[in-house]
Amino acid sequence: MKKLLTDNIGLKVLALVAATILWLVVVNVDDPVIEKRFSGISVEVTNDEAITGQNKTYEILDGSDTVTVIVKGKRSILDQMSKDYIKATADIKNLTIMDTVPIEVRSTRLSDRLESIVSTTKNLKVHIEDLDRKQVMITVAATGTVNAGSVLGTVKPDVNILTVSGPVSVVRNIVAARAEIDVTGLGKDVSTTAVVHLYDANDEMITDPRVQSTVTSVHVDAQILETKEVEITAVTSGSPAEGYALTGVLSCDPARIRVAGKGSTYQELSRLVIPESAVSVAGATEDVRQIVNINNYLPEGIRLAEDDFDGNVEVYAQIEQLMSIEVEVPVENISIINVPEGYKIRYNLGNYHFAKGQYKKAEEDYHKALMHLIPYEKECPVKVNLALSMINQLSDDEWESFLAAESADDMDAKARHVEETLQTARSVLIEDGCAHADDEEGHDEQAQILKDEIDELLKKSGGQGGDEDNDQGGSD
Protein backbone atom coordinates (compact mmCIF):
# COMPACT_ATOMS: atom_id res chain seq x y z
CA MET A 1 0.00 0.00 0.00
CA LYS A 2 2.84 2.37 0.88
CA LYS A 3 4.50 1.65 -2.35
CA LEU A 4 1.25 2.37 -4.13
CA LEU A 5 1.05 5.88 -2.59
CA THR A 6 4.70 6.77 -3.15
CA ASP A 7 5.17 5.45 -6.63
CA ASN A 8 5.28 8.32 -9.14
CA ILE A 9 4.81 10.85 -6.38
CA GLY A 10 5.81 13.76 -8.63
CA LEU A 11 3.22 12.94 -11.19
CA LYS A 12 0.56 12.66 -8.52
CA VAL A 13 1.39 16.09 -7.02
CA LEU A 14 1.34 17.63 -10.46
CA ALA A 15 -2.06 16.07 -11.11
CA LEU A 16 -3.40 17.53 -7.84
CA VAL A 17 -2.20 21.02 -8.70
CA ALA A 18 -3.67 20.75 -12.19
CA ALA A 19 -6.98 19.61 -10.75
CA THR A 20 -7.05 22.56 -8.33
CA ILE A 21 -6.31 25.02 -11.08
CA LEU A 22 -8.95 23.42 -13.25
CA TRP A 23 -11.49 23.70 -10.43
CA LEU A 24 -10.69 27.38 -9.93
CA VAL A 25 -11.05 28.01 -13.65
CA VAL A 26 -14.38 26.23 -13.72
CA VAL A 27 -15.62 28.14 -10.65
CA ASN A 28 -14.63 31.50 -12.14
CA VAL A 29 -16.17 30.68 -15.47
CA ASP A 30 -19.47 29.59 -13.89
CA ASP A 31 -19.72 32.51 -11.22
CA PRO A 32 -17.55 35.40 -12.41
CA VAL A 33 -17.33 38.93 -10.87
CA ILE A 34 -19.46 41.22 -12.98
CA GLU A 35 -20.94 44.75 -12.96
CA LYS A 36 -24.67 45.46 -13.08
CA ARG A 37 -26.43 48.79 -13.66
CA PHE A 38 -29.56 49.86 -11.82
CA SER A 39 -31.23 52.99 -13.23
CA GLY A 40 -34.01 55.24 -11.95
CA ILE A 41 -32.75 55.37 -8.39
CA SER A 42 -34.29 58.37 -6.56
CA VAL A 43 -32.00 60.45 -4.40
CA GLU A 44 -33.34 61.20 -0.93
CA VAL A 45 -32.52 64.74 0.18
CA THR A 46 -31.86 65.06 3.90
CA ASN A 47 -31.45 68.03 6.23
CA ASP A 48 -32.93 70.52 3.71
CA GLU A 49 -33.84 72.76 6.64
CA ALA A 50 -30.27 73.99 6.29
CA ILE A 51 -31.68 75.97 3.32
CA THR A 52 -35.37 76.41 4.14
CA GLY A 53 -34.54 77.55 7.67
CA GLN A 54 -32.93 80.67 6.17
CA ASN A 55 -36.17 81.73 4.42
CA LYS A 56 -34.88 80.29 1.16
CA THR A 57 -35.96 77.52 -1.15
CA TYR A 58 -34.15 75.32 -3.61
CA GLU A 59 -34.69 73.56 -6.94
CA ILE A 60 -32.93 70.37 -8.03
CA LEU A 61 -31.36 70.84 -11.46
CA ASP A 62 -30.78 68.61 -14.47
CA GLY A 63 -32.71 65.69 -12.99
CA SER A 64 -29.77 65.02 -10.72
CA ASP A 65 -32.09 63.58 -8.07
CA THR A 66 -32.49 60.42 -10.17
CA VAL A 67 -29.31 58.42 -10.72
CA THR A 68 -27.93 55.20 -12.21
CA VAL A 69 -25.93 52.97 -9.84
CA ILE A 70 -23.25 50.43 -10.89
CA VAL A 71 -22.88 47.44 -8.57
CA LYS A 72 -19.89 45.06 -8.85
CA GLY A 73 -19.84 41.52 -7.44
CA LYS A 74 -20.21 37.88 -8.22
CA ARG A 75 -22.92 36.96 -10.61
CA SER A 76 -24.61 34.75 -8.07
CA ILE A 77 -24.83 37.71 -5.66
CA LEU A 78 -25.91 40.27 -8.23
CA ASP A 79 -28.65 37.93 -9.38
CA GLN A 80 -30.14 38.43 -5.95
CA MET A 81 -29.89 42.24 -6.14
CA SER A 82 -32.82 44.59 -6.84
CA LYS A 83 -33.00 48.37 -7.24
CA ASP A 84 -35.18 48.34 -4.16
CA TYR A 85 -32.09 47.42 -2.13
CA ILE A 86 -30.20 50.50 -3.30
CA LYS A 87 -30.51 53.74 -1.36
CA ALA A 88 -29.09 57.06 -2.59
CA THR A 89 -28.91 60.10 -0.30
CA ALA A 90 -27.72 63.70 -0.49
CA ASP A 91 -27.19 65.55 2.79
CA ILE A 92 -27.80 69.31 2.32
CA LYS A 93 -25.41 69.94 5.21
CA ASN A 94 -22.66 68.94 2.78
CA LEU A 95 -23.62 71.70 0.29
CA THR A 96 -20.58 73.07 -1.52
CA ILE A 97 -19.91 76.60 -2.68
CA MET A 98 -20.77 75.33 -6.17
CA ASP A 99 -24.31 74.57 -4.95
CA THR A 100 -23.74 70.84 -5.28
CA VAL A 101 -24.26 68.05 -2.73
CA PRO A 102 -22.31 64.75 -2.87
CA ILE A 103 -24.50 61.70 -3.53
CA GLU A 104 -23.89 58.63 -1.40
CA VAL A 105 -25.17 55.18 -2.39
CA ARG A 106 -25.37 51.94 -0.47
CA SER A 107 -27.15 48.63 -0.55
CA THR A 108 -29.48 47.71 2.25
CA ARG A 109 -28.86 43.97 1.62
CA LEU A 110 -25.83 41.85 0.64
CA SER A 111 -23.60 44.88 1.03
CA ASP A 112 -20.84 42.80 2.66
CA ARG A 113 -20.76 40.53 -0.36
CA LEU A 114 -20.45 43.25 -2.97
CA GLU A 115 -17.12 44.40 -4.27
CA SER A 116 -18.32 47.99 -5.01
CA ILE A 117 -21.39 50.18 -5.48
CA VAL A 118 -21.09 53.62 -7.11
CA SER A 119 -23.39 56.25 -8.68
CA THR A 120 -22.72 57.46 -12.19
CA THR A 121 -23.88 60.93 -10.99
CA LYS A 122 -21.60 62.11 -8.26
CA ASN A 123 -23.38 65.28 -7.11
CA LEU A 124 -26.88 66.63 -6.65
CA LYS A 125 -27.15 70.05 -8.34
CA VAL A 126 -29.37 72.67 -6.67
CA HIS A 127 -30.44 76.24 -7.38
CA ILE A 128 -31.13 78.31 -4.27
CA GLU A 129 -33.49 81.30 -4.20
CA ASP A 130 -35.06 83.61 -1.65
CA LEU A 131 -38.53 82.59 -0.49
CA ASP A 132 -41.38 84.97 -1.37
CA ARG A 133 -45.05 85.28 -0.34
CA LYS A 134 -48.03 87.10 -1.83
CA GLN A 135 -51.81 87.19 -1.60
CA VAL A 136 -53.93 86.40 -4.65
CA MET A 137 -57.68 86.87 -5.22
CA ILE A 138 -59.64 83.70 -5.94
CA THR A 139 -62.09 83.78 -8.86
CA VAL A 140 -64.46 81.13 -10.15
CA ALA A 141 -64.96 80.38 -13.85
CA ALA A 142 -67.99 78.48 -15.10
CA THR A 143 -67.82 76.15 -18.07
CA GLY A 144 -70.68 74.66 -20.05
CA THR A 145 -74.20 75.98 -20.72
CA VAL A 146 -77.14 76.01 -18.31
CA ASN A 147 -80.64 74.88 -19.28
CA ALA A 148 -82.45 76.79 -22.02
CA GLY A 149 -84.43 79.71 -20.60
CA SER A 150 -81.98 80.18 -17.74
CA VAL A 151 -78.70 82.04 -17.27
CA LEU A 152 -75.90 81.81 -14.77
CA GLY A 153 -76.17 84.38 -12.00
CA THR A 154 -73.66 85.08 -9.24
CA VAL A 155 -70.92 82.53 -8.59
CA LYS A 156 -69.33 82.92 -5.16
CA PRO A 157 -66.53 80.96 -3.47
CA ASP A 158 -66.59 80.62 0.31
CA VAL A 159 -62.98 81.93 0.38
CA ASN A 160 -61.91 84.75 -1.91
CA ILE A 161 -58.21 85.18 -1.14
CA LEU A 162 -55.21 82.89 -0.61
CA THR A 163 -51.52 83.22 0.19
CA VAL A 164 -48.84 81.55 -1.93
CA SER A 165 -45.20 81.03 -1.00
CA GLY A 166 -42.26 79.80 -3.04
CA PRO A 167 -39.23 80.93 -5.02
CA VAL A 168 -39.19 84.63 -5.91
CA SER A 169 -38.82 83.85 -9.61
CA VAL A 170 -42.02 81.80 -9.58
CA VAL A 171 -44.20 83.67 -7.07
CA ARG A 172 -43.74 87.02 -8.81
CA ASN A 173 -45.31 85.53 -11.97
CA ILE A 174 -48.47 84.35 -10.21
CA VAL A 175 -51.30 86.75 -11.10
CA ALA A 176 -54.46 84.68 -10.66
CA ALA A 177 -56.00 81.91 -8.62
CA ARG A 178 -58.97 80.29 -10.30
CA ALA A 179 -61.40 77.48 -9.67
CA GLU A 180 -63.64 76.03 -12.37
CA ILE A 181 -67.13 74.53 -12.13
CA ASP A 182 -69.20 72.83 -14.83
CA VAL A 183 -72.78 74.21 -15.09
CA THR A 184 -73.85 72.15 -18.10
CA GLY A 185 -77.59 71.46 -18.00
CA LEU A 186 -78.21 73.16 -14.65
CA GLY A 187 -81.66 74.64 -14.06
CA LYS A 188 -81.44 75.50 -10.38
CA ASP A 189 -78.91 76.80 -7.84
CA VAL A 190 -76.02 74.49 -7.03
CA SER A 191 -73.29 74.15 -4.40
CA THR A 192 -70.09 72.26 -5.15
CA THR A 193 -66.37 72.01 -4.38
CA ALA A 194 -63.71 73.03 -6.90
CA VAL A 195 -59.90 72.79 -7.00
CA VAL A 196 -58.00 76.10 -7.11
CA HIS A 197 -55.17 76.44 -9.64
CA LEU A 198 -52.58 79.20 -9.97
CA TYR A 199 -51.93 81.04 -13.27
CA ASP A 200 -49.40 83.45 -14.73
CA ALA A 201 -50.04 86.50 -16.94
CA ASN A 202 -50.27 84.26 -20.03
CA ASP A 203 -52.98 82.18 -18.34
CA GLU A 204 -50.56 79.26 -18.10
CA MET A 205 -51.09 77.03 -15.07
CA ILE A 206 -48.24 77.10 -12.55
CA THR A 207 -47.38 73.59 -11.36
CA ASP A 208 -44.02 74.15 -9.67
CA PRO A 209 -44.02 71.81 -6.62
CA ARG A 210 -42.03 74.36 -4.63
CA VAL A 211 -45.03 76.71 -4.58
CA GLN A 212 -47.28 76.25 -1.58
CA SER A 213 -50.81 77.68 -1.21
CA THR A 214 -52.93 78.20 1.88
CA VAL A 215 -56.06 77.25 -0.13
CA THR A 216 -56.20 74.35 -2.57
CA SER A 217 -59.98 74.04 -2.97
CA VAL A 218 -63.09 76.16 -2.34
CA HIS A 219 -66.80 75.63 -1.84
CA VAL A 220 -68.75 77.39 -4.59
CA ASP A 221 -72.39 78.53 -4.65
CA ALA A 222 -73.71 79.11 -8.19
CA GLN A 223 -77.00 80.93 -8.80
CA ILE A 224 -79.24 80.05 -11.76
CA LEU A 225 -81.64 82.82 -12.91
CA GLU A 226 -84.87 82.73 -14.92
CA THR A 227 -85.17 84.88 -18.06
CA LYS A 228 -87.96 86.70 -19.91
CA GLU A 229 -88.54 89.53 -22.37
CA VAL A 230 -89.76 92.94 -21.17
CA GLU A 231 -90.82 96.09 -23.01
CA ILE A 232 -88.78 99.31 -22.94
CA THR A 233 -90.53 102.69 -22.96
CA ALA A 234 -89.29 106.23 -22.35
CA VAL A 235 -90.54 109.67 -21.30
CA THR A 236 -88.95 113.01 -22.16
CA SER A 237 -88.28 116.23 -20.29
CA GLY A 238 -88.35 119.82 -21.48
CA SER A 239 -90.16 121.41 -24.42
CA PRO A 240 -89.02 121.86 -28.01
CA ALA A 241 -88.11 125.32 -29.26
CA GLU A 242 -90.85 127.87 -29.83
CA GLY A 243 -92.78 126.85 -32.94
CA TYR A 244 -91.86 123.15 -32.63
CA ALA A 245 -93.59 120.25 -30.92
CA LEU A 246 -93.37 116.54 -30.22
CA THR A 247 -95.41 114.58 -32.73
CA GLY A 248 -96.10 111.79 -30.26
CA VAL A 249 -93.67 109.41 -31.96
CA LEU A 250 -91.39 108.21 -29.15
CA SER A 251 -89.67 104.87 -29.64
CA CYS A 252 -86.85 102.74 -28.22
CA ASP A 253 -84.46 100.52 -30.15
CA PRO A 254 -84.46 97.73 -29.13
CA ALA A 255 -88.08 97.91 -28.02
CA ARG A 256 -87.83 94.67 -26.01
CA ILE A 257 -84.92 93.07 -24.18
CA ARG A 258 -84.37 89.86 -22.23
CA VAL A 259 -83.66 90.19 -18.52
CA ALA A 260 -82.75 87.68 -15.83
CA GLY A 261 -83.63 87.46 -12.18
CA LYS A 262 -85.68 85.66 -9.55
CA GLY A 263 -88.11 86.45 -6.79
CA SER A 264 -91.06 88.85 -6.59
CA THR A 265 -89.29 91.80 -8.24
CA TYR A 266 -88.56 89.65 -11.29
CA GLN A 267 -92.04 88.14 -11.40
CA GLU A 268 -93.75 91.56 -11.29
CA LEU A 269 -91.50 93.17 -13.90
CA SER A 270 -93.10 93.56 -17.34
CA ARG A 271 -91.75 96.92 -18.53
CA LEU A 272 -88.69 99.11 -18.06
CA VAL A 273 -89.20 102.88 -18.22
CA ILE A 274 -86.35 105.22 -19.16
CA PRO A 275 -87.04 108.30 -17.00
CA GLU A 276 -87.40 111.84 -18.30
CA SER A 277 -84.11 112.83 -16.68
CA ALA A 278 -82.32 110.69 -19.28
CA VAL A 279 -83.92 112.14 -22.41
CA SER A 280 -84.36 115.90 -22.92
CA VAL A 281 -86.02 117.60 -25.88
CA ALA A 282 -85.57 121.09 -24.45
CA GLY A 283 -85.05 123.64 -27.24
CA ALA A 284 -85.03 120.96 -29.94
CA THR A 285 -85.73 121.96 -33.56
CA GLU A 286 -85.19 118.51 -35.04
CA ASP A 287 -85.63 114.86 -34.13
CA VAL A 288 -83.82 113.82 -30.93
CA ARG A 289 -81.86 110.57 -30.75
CA GLN A 290 -80.38 109.76 -27.34
CA ILE A 291 -78.32 106.68 -26.38
CA VAL A 292 -79.22 105.51 -22.88
CA ASN A 293 -77.73 102.53 -21.05
CA ILE A 294 -80.62 100.55 -19.62
CA ASN A 295 -78.33 98.98 -16.99
CA ASN A 296 -78.70 102.23 -15.05
CA TYR A 297 -82.43 101.67 -14.68
CA LEU A 298 -82.66 97.96 -13.89
CA PRO A 299 -84.30 97.16 -10.54
CA GLU A 300 -82.09 95.66 -7.85
CA GLY A 301 -81.52 91.96 -8.45
CA ILE A 302 -82.31 92.21 -12.17
CA ARG A 303 -79.62 91.95 -14.88
CA LEU A 304 -79.40 91.66 -18.65
CA ALA A 305 -79.72 88.05 -19.80
CA GLU A 306 -77.71 88.30 -23.01
CA ASP A 307 -73.95 88.74 -22.68
CA ASP A 308 -73.61 90.16 -26.19
CA PHE A 309 -75.98 93.07 -25.42
CA ASP A 310 -74.21 96.02 -23.76
CA GLY A 311 -77.42 97.68 -22.56
CA ASN A 312 -77.35 100.68 -24.91
CA VAL A 313 -80.83 101.72 -26.07
CA GLU A 314 -81.52 104.45 -28.64
CA VAL A 315 -84.48 106.66 -27.71
CA TYR A 316 -86.04 108.45 -30.67
CA ALA A 317 -88.34 111.46 -30.24
CA GLN A 318 -89.82 112.99 -33.39
CA ILE A 319 -89.91 116.81 -33.49
CA GLU A 320 -91.76 118.79 -36.14
CA GLN A 321 -92.28 122.47 -36.79
CA LEU A 322 -95.76 123.77 -36.03
CA MET A 323 -97.68 125.00 -39.04
CA SER A 324 -101.10 126.61 -39.42
CA ILE A 325 -103.42 126.57 -42.36
CA GLU A 326 -106.81 128.07 -42.89
CA VAL A 327 -109.58 125.75 -43.93
CA GLU A 328 -113.05 126.91 -44.78
CA VAL A 329 -115.71 124.60 -43.41
CA PRO A 330 -119.35 125.19 -44.29
CA VAL A 331 -121.36 125.96 -41.19
CA GLU A 332 -123.81 123.21 -42.02
CA ASN A 333 -120.95 120.70 -41.68
CA ILE A 334 -120.19 121.71 -38.10
CA SER A 335 -121.83 119.93 -35.21
CA ILE A 336 -121.02 120.31 -31.53
CA ILE A 337 -121.26 117.26 -29.28
CA ASN A 338 -120.25 116.45 -25.71
CA VAL A 339 -119.53 120.10 -24.92
CA PRO A 340 -117.91 120.31 -21.45
CA GLU A 341 -118.51 123.12 -19.04
CA GLY A 342 -116.94 126.20 -20.66
CA TYR A 343 -114.21 126.81 -18.09
CA LYS A 344 -112.80 123.23 -18.18
CA ILE A 345 -111.06 123.50 -21.53
CA ARG A 346 -109.09 126.58 -20.51
CA TYR A 347 -108.49 125.26 -17.00
CA ASN A 348 -107.06 121.98 -18.33
CA LEU A 349 -104.93 123.84 -20.89
CA GLY A 350 -103.64 126.02 -18.09
CA ASN A 351 -102.70 122.96 -16.06
CA TYR A 352 -100.91 121.48 -19.11
CA HIS A 353 -98.88 124.64 -19.73
CA PHE A 354 -98.16 124.98 -15.99
CA ALA A 355 -96.79 121.42 -15.85
CA LYS A 356 -94.56 122.19 -18.84
CA GLY A 357 -93.21 125.32 -17.15
CA GLN A 358 -94.97 127.61 -19.63
CA TYR A 359 -96.32 129.92 -16.91
CA LYS A 360 -97.26 132.87 -19.14
CA LYS A 361 -99.49 130.67 -21.28
CA ALA A 362 -100.91 129.07 -18.15
CA GLU A 363 -101.79 132.55 -16.75
CA GLU A 364 -103.64 133.41 -19.95
CA ASP A 365 -105.59 130.14 -19.87
CA TYR A 366 -106.61 130.59 -16.20
CA HIS A 367 -107.79 134.15 -16.91
CA LYS A 368 -109.92 132.86 -19.78
CA ALA A 369 -111.30 130.09 -17.59
CA LEU A 370 -112.45 132.67 -15.03
CA MET A 371 -114.38 134.47 -17.76
CA HIS A 372 -116.75 131.49 -17.85
CA LEU A 373 -119.40 130.62 -15.34
CA ILE A 374 -117.59 128.40 -12.85
CA PRO A 375 -119.26 126.31 -10.12
CA TYR A 376 -118.66 127.81 -6.68
CA GLU A 377 -116.54 124.89 -5.44
CA LYS A 378 -114.30 124.96 -8.59
CA GLU A 379 -113.47 128.68 -8.68
CA CYS A 380 -110.85 128.78 -5.93
CA PRO A 381 -108.56 126.07 -7.41
CA VAL A 382 -108.48 128.07 -10.66
CA LYS A 383 -107.52 131.23 -8.74
CA VAL A 384 -104.81 129.45 -6.76
CA ASN A 385 -103.26 128.15 -9.99
CA LEU A 386 -103.58 131.59 -11.57
CA ALA A 387 -101.75 133.22 -8.65
CA LEU A 388 -99.00 130.58 -8.79
CA SER A 389 -98.55 131.01 -12.55
CA MET A 390 -98.02 134.75 -11.99
CA ILE A 391 -95.47 134.22 -9.21
CA ASN A 392 -93.56 131.51 -11.11
CA GLN A 393 -92.83 133.95 -13.94
CA LEU A 394 -90.57 135.98 -11.65
CA SER A 395 -86.88 135.48 -12.40
CA ASP A 396 -84.14 134.59 -9.93
CA ASP A 397 -82.60 138.06 -10.38
CA GLU A 398 -85.88 139.74 -9.50
CA TRP A 399 -86.28 137.61 -6.38
CA GLU A 400 -82.70 138.35 -5.31
CA SER A 401 -83.30 142.11 -5.65
CA PHE A 402 -86.57 141.89 -3.71
CA LEU A 403 -85.13 139.82 -0.88
CA ALA A 404 -82.01 141.98 -0.67
CA ALA A 405 -84.02 145.20 -0.15
CA GLU A 406 -84.26 146.08 3.54
CA SER A 407 -87.30 148.33 3.04
CA ALA A 408 -89.63 149.61 0.34
CA ASP A 409 -87.38 152.64 -0.16
CA ASP A 410 -84.45 150.35 -1.05
CA MET A 411 -86.29 148.57 -3.84
CA ASP A 412 -85.13 148.86 -7.44
CA ALA A 413 -87.27 148.22 -10.52
CA LYS A 414 -86.82 144.44 -10.25
CA ALA A 415 -87.86 144.38 -6.63
CA ARG A 416 -90.85 146.62 -7.39
CA HIS A 417 -91.95 144.18 -10.08
CA VAL A 418 -91.91 141.34 -7.55
CA GLU A 419 -93.92 143.43 -5.09
CA GLU A 420 -96.50 144.34 -7.73
CA THR A 421 -96.84 140.71 -8.86
CA LEU A 422 -97.34 139.52 -5.27
CA GLN A 423 -100.00 142.22 -4.71
CA THR A 424 -101.80 141.15 -7.89
CA ALA A 425 -101.67 137.47 -6.91
CA ARG A 426 -102.96 138.39 -3.43
CA SER A 427 -105.89 140.27 -4.94
CA VAL A 428 -106.81 137.22 -7.05
CA LEU A 429 -106.84 135.00 -3.95
CA ILE A 430 -108.97 137.26 -1.73
CA GLU A 431 -111.46 138.01 -4.50
CA ASP A 432 -114.82 136.43 -3.64
CA GLY A 433 -113.43 135.22 -0.29
CA CYS A 434 -111.28 132.26 -1.42
CA ALA A 435 -108.77 133.73 1.03
CA HIS A 436 -109.65 136.42 3.59
CA ALA A 437 -107.86 139.76 3.47
CA ASP A 438 -107.41 139.82 7.25
CA ASP A 439 -106.34 137.09 9.62
CA GLU A 440 -109.59 135.16 9.35
CA GLU A 441 -109.74 132.00 7.33
CA GLY A 442 -111.11 132.13 3.77
CA HIS A 443 -113.32 129.39 2.44
CA ASP A 444 -110.48 127.60 0.54
CA GLU A 445 -107.59 126.24 2.57
CA GLN A 446 -105.01 126.27 -0.26
CA ALA A 447 -105.90 129.84 -1.21
CA GLN A 448 -105.61 130.97 2.41
CA ILE A 449 -102.20 129.29 2.85
CA LEU A 450 -100.83 130.89 -0.33
CA LYS A 451 -102.23 134.30 0.61
CA ASP A 452 -100.64 134.11 4.09
CA GLU A 453 -97.26 133.24 2.53
CA ILE A 454 -97.58 136.23 0.20
CA ASP A 455 -98.38 138.47 3.19
CA GLU A 456 -95.17 137.35 4.91
CA LEU A 457 -93.19 138.40 1.83
CA LEU A 458 -94.98 141.74 1.55
CA LYS A 459 -94.40 142.79 5.16
CA LYS A 460 -91.06 144.36 4.26
CA SER A 461 -92.68 146.63 1.66
CA GLY A 462 -95.66 147.63 3.72
CA GLY A 463 -97.91 146.29 1.02
CA GLN A 464 -100.03 143.96 3.16
CA GLY A 465 -103.60 144.68 4.17
CA GLY A 466 -104.19 147.95 2.29
CA ASP A 467 -107.68 149.51 2.16
CA GLU A 468 -108.11 148.44 -1.44
CA ASP A 469 -107.47 144.83 -0.51
CA ASN A 470 -109.80 144.99 2.46
CA ASP A 471 -112.57 146.32 0.22
CA GLN A 472 -112.16 143.28 -2.03
CA GLY A 473 -111.90 140.77 0.75
CA GLY A 474 -114.75 138.79 2.06
CA SER A 475 -115.59 136.24 4.66
CA ASP A 476 -117.26 132.97 4.59
Side-chain angles (χ1 to χ4, degrees), residues 120-137:
T120 58
T121 303
K122 302 303 181 184
N123 294 295
L124 183 76
K125 299 177 182 179
V126 297
H127 173 64
I128 300 173
E129 287 188 70
D130 289 334
L131 191 67
D132 192 15
R133 292 178 176 85
K134 71 187 296 186
Q135 289 187 322
V136 185
M137 294 295 297

Side-chain angles (χ1 to χ4, degrees), residues 123-189:
N123 294 295
L124 183 76
K125 299 177 182 179
V126 297
H127 173 64
I128 300 173
E129 287 188 70
D130 289 334
L131 191 67
D132 192 15
R133 292 178 176 85
K134 71 187 296 186
Q135 289 187 322
V136 185
M137 294 295 297
I138 300 173
T139 60
V140 179
T143 61
T145 304
V146 299
N147 273 353
S150 301
V151 296
L152 183 65
T154 57
V155 180
K156 296 181 179 179
D158 61 340
V159 180
N160 57 17
I161 195 167
L162 56 77
T163 300
V164 292
S165 60
V168 172
S169 62
V170 179
V171 171
R172 68 187 177 192
N173 292 327
I174 299 174
V175 298
R178 186 169 69 244
E180 290 188 358
I181 61 170
D182 185 2
V183 297
T184 301
L186 292 183
K188 61 181 181 179
D189 296 352

